[in-house]
Amino acid sequence: MTQASVTPKAARRRHDREIVALAVPAFGALVAEPLFLMADSAIVGHLGTAQLAGLAVASALLTTAVSVFVFLAYATTAAVARRVGAGDLRAAIQQGMDGIWLALLLGAAVIAVVLPTAPAIVELLGASDTAAPYAVTYLRISALGIPAMLVVLAATGVLRGLQNAKTPLYVAVAGFVANAALNLGLVYGADLGIAGSAWGTVIAQVGMAVVYLVVVVRGARRHGASLRPDAAGIRACAQAGAPLLVRTLSLRAILMIATAVAARLGDADVAAHQIILSLWNLLAFALDAIAIAGQAIIGRYLGADDAQGARDVCRRMVQWGVAAGIALGVLVIAGRPLYVPLFTSDQTVQDAALLALIVVAVSQPVCGIVYVLDGVLMGAGDGSYLAWAMLITLAIFTPVALLVPVLGGGLTAVWGAMALMMAVRMATLWLRYRSGRWAVTGATR
């Protein structure tokens, strides 16, 4: 059947199948990731308040460190998918191996920095005298698992680029179960306390990395790809990831500024802000799953020299993003009276959260478009544009957010600034999408 003979309805159904096949397992894997921290918190929380406070400080540092290197997954997905589209599986897996070697090098560098500086880092974050020793213990032990965590990111990108989102889901679920079991056994069975929780997480992460490596190495041997580190390939991966690192750091800066502004409004507002931010992250998982599908699918179409197919599937994913955003917005508004009281019984905090959540709900369709187009441009390897667009967004958001305490409006105004931030992101991404300059075809960009 030729491209011209495919009806629009049949094309939509094909695109829907492609999106669902990648987005649904990706959503499951994304949800499994924060369950690691939840399990650790639940288990360590019964040791005492100081231990839980120490975990909170250390886990915040570890989460930030890993999120900074998420480009290992994003850039690898796009690069591998392009070569899959071009029909060169050997080069695709070789590209993935380069990403994994880069992950190992970065992980080793992080360990070299964290181990000797852990006490100073914990003190910088303001941990109390009672919590600091536990934070240092957890941080130093968990740092040993960072190379494995980064390998998991890179290998996940390899498999998604190969259009395989089910294996990352299975590994994530198995990792969560193993992490919970190991934590219980080492914390209470072996009586290792918070150190047992850290070791349990490290062991689970190493186990996940080993499974990924077995899968990727088998693929490399099957298709004749080299397992040796290639300096040029590793350097190319780093160069492709650098713009995405700038994008991620800019986004993290926006979230930190929003939290800092909320903290200046008072305890009730910052408490409500934390509730909303948790919900915001949960909503992001659903929308990010479509974006991850976009990274893999767009890369494959462009690698196959099918720019029109890439534009068509992009259009369909935008429709998915809008529909998902509308559905999530309705759920946020309808469920406000039900889930906000689960987080706090303080009526002042509840009132602040309930009002600001209206802004969050209304902005969800915009968020849907942003996440999809973000994923599309990542899949196209358009990282430089994403970096500049996020820097522009940061430059616009910062003064608006900092004016909130001066002009008033409370937490609702803070989240109004966040909605403006998403609108600016949508505008910059939409302009790029409409220009068509992102649709560069070929096995490499």
Side-chain angles (χ1 to χ4, degrees):
M1 182 180 292
T2 64
Q3 182 71 22
S5 65
V6 178
T7 65
K9 187 174 182 180
R12 284 196 300 271
R13 284 200 298 267
R14 185 180 73 247
H15 294 326
D16 288 346
R17 287 194 296 270
E18 291 174 327
I19 295 167
V20 169
L22 289 168
V24 172
F27 175 71
L30 287 169
V31 170
E33 290 173 9
L35 292 179
F36 270 78
L37 180 56
M38 290 178 63
D40 288 0
S41 299
I43 293 168
V44 172
H46 290 286
L47 294 174
T49 301
Q51 288 91 331
L52 185 58
L55 172 65
V57 172
S59 62
L61 288 165
L62 292 166
T63 301
T64 299
V66 174
S67 66
V68 164
F69 295 118
V70 74
F71 70 84
L72 288 167
Y74 293 163
T76 304
T77 297
V80 171
R82 274 186 176 269
R83 286 162 175 77
V84 168
D88 192 347
L89 288 178
R90 187 199 67 77
I93 296 176
Q94 184 63 60
Q95 179 76 39
M97 287 303 306
D98 292 338
I100 290 172
W101 279 112
L102 176 60
L104 287 170
L105 291 173
L106 291 173
V110 172
I111 288 178
V113 171
V114 171
L115 289 184
T117 62
I121 296 173
V122 168
E123 183 180 358
L124 184 64
L125 284 186
S128 67
D129 291 341
T130 54
Y134 298 112
V136 171
T137 297
Y138 191 93
L139 183 58
R140 279 180 165 162
I141 296 173
S142 294
L144 300 176
I146 287 180
M149 295 166 71
L150 300 188
V151 166
V152 167
L153 285 177
T156 298
V158 176
L159 296 183
R160 286 173 179 167
L162 293 170
Q163 316 297 298
N164 176 3
K166 290 184 179 179
T167 299
L169 171 61
Y170 299 150
V171 175
V173 172
F176 165 70
V177 173
N179 177 67
L182 286 166
N183 270 256
L184 284 171
L186 294 174
V187 171
Y188 297 113
D191 198 25
L192 294 179
I194 195 169
S197 176
W199 280 117
T201 300
V202 168
I203 294 169
Q205 289 162 346
V206 170
M208 292 169 65
V210 168
V211 172
Y212 274 119
L213 288 174
V214 168
V215 173
V216 174
V217 167
R218 283 179 178 174
R221 289 175 174 169
R222 187 181 310 118
H223 297 286
S226 174
L227 300 177
R228 297 176 181 175
D230 177 68
I234 294 171
R235 186 165 54 250
C237 287
Q239 290 172 347
L244 296 181
L245 176 61
V246 173
R247 167 202 167 274
T248 301
L249 290 174
S250 300
L251 182 56
R252 296 294 300 184
I254 287 171
L255 296 175
M256 289 176 64
I257 291 170
T259 300
V261 171
R264 292 178 63 186
L265 299 177
D267 290 347
D269 282 309
V270 74
H273 176 76
Q274 184 59 36
I275 293 171
I276 297 171
L277 195 59
S278 299
L279 178 64
W280 175 277
N281 290 332
L282 180 61
L283 297 173
F285 289 140
L287 300 175
D288 203 28
I290 306 174
I292 287 171
Q295 294 170 26
I297 295 171
I298 293 296
R300 191 187 79 233
Y301 271 96
L302 294 178
D305 292 324
D306 188 358
Q308 185 57 50
R311 294 188 191 96
D312 291 342
V313 75
C314 175
R315 190 178 307 112
R316 187 57 176 164
M317 281 189 288
V318 168
Q319 294 171 355
W320 272 67
V322 172
I326 292 172
L328 291 173
V330 171
L331 287 174
V332 169
I333 291 178
R336 286 182 309 150
L338 300 176
Y339 59 74
V340 171
L342 296 177
F343 291 92
T344 179
S345 58
D346 189 322
Q347 191 60 48
T348 305
V349 176
Q350 289 186 23
D351 291 343
L354 289 170
L355 191 58
L357 279 169
I358 296 176
V359 178
V360 173
V362 172
S363 68
Q364 286 309 296
V366 173
C367 295
I369 296 173
V370 168
Y371 275 83
V372 167
L373 292 181
D374 206 42
V376 166
L377 296 187
M378 284 183 190
D382 205 7
S384 295
Y385 183 84
L386 288 171
W388 282 109
M390 189 59 77
L391 287 171
I392 291 170
T393 303
L394 174 61
I396 294 174
F397 169 80
T398 301
V400 174
L402 293 178
L403 282 173
V404 168
V406 178
L407 299 179
L411 189 63
T412 303
V414 173
W415 281 94
M418 290 287 286
L420 172 65
M421 178 270 293
M422 295 303 291
V424 172
R425 287 185 69 187
M426 183 181 71
T428 57
L429 297 174
W430 188 261
L431 286 172
R432 187 64 166 181
Y433 161 66
R434 293 293 297 172
S435 74
R437 289 196 291 271
W438 56 274
V440 178
T441 58
T444 58
R445 183 177 174 87

